[in-house]
Amino acid sequence: ESYGFFMDQLMDTVRQKIGLSLEKAYDKLPAAEAARMLMLGSVSQLESYADKENERKQEERELALLDDGPASFTRTLSRATTGPMEEAGVIQWVLEGDTLHFITCI
């Protein structure tokens, strides 16, 4: 029972790291390819994962704003850019048709 719990946690961590890499490397990606890269079984699982990831980031952003203001954002929240406005942006995952888009929201 505990093995399953730790494997689920490990898979979540791996998917977060892969997702962060996808956000940095792509503005958009075919949904089937994104699902494969994230080790998800289908595009519908990708849609669920994207919703969960967007919620997680929003919660992180709200906590960061409450704690120390925008300067406390972690690297998981912002795309590596040179523009000061985008540094504090959150990357939202938006599935449109058969394409996953990574959109920076300020």
Side-chain angles (χ1 to χ4, degrees), residues 75-94:
R75 295 295 293 159
T76 62
L77 289 176
S78 61
R79 184 182 299 221
T81 63
T82 56
M85 290 295 286
E86 288 187 19
E87 280 297 324
V90 175
I91 309 292
Q92 292 290 306
W93 295 24
V94 179

Side-chain angles (χ1 to χ4, degrees), residues 22-38:
L22 293 176
E23 291 173 2
K24 288 180 181 180
Y26 301 97
D27 290 326
K28 62 183 177 179
L29 188 64
E33 187 65 17
R36 186 187 69 74
M37 289 179 178
L38 290 164

Side-chain angles (χ1 to χ4, degrees), residues 36-55:
R36 186 187 69 74
M37 289 179 178
L38 290 164
M39 298 171 280
L40 298 168
S42 66
V43 172
S44 64
Q45 286 180 343
L46 173 65
E47 186 172 15
S48 296
Y49 183 78
D51 290 341
K52 185 175 98 173
E53 205 38 32
N54 289 339
E55 288 173 17

Side-chain angles (χ1 to χ4, degrees), residues 1-19:
E1 188 173 311
S2 62
Y3 171 79
F5 171 78
F6 288 113
M7 287 305 295
D8 290 344
Q9 293 295 320
L10 179 60
M11 285 305 296
D12 284 345
T13 301
V14 169
R15 284 188 180 114
Q16 280 183 353
K17 298 295 184 183
I18 292 170

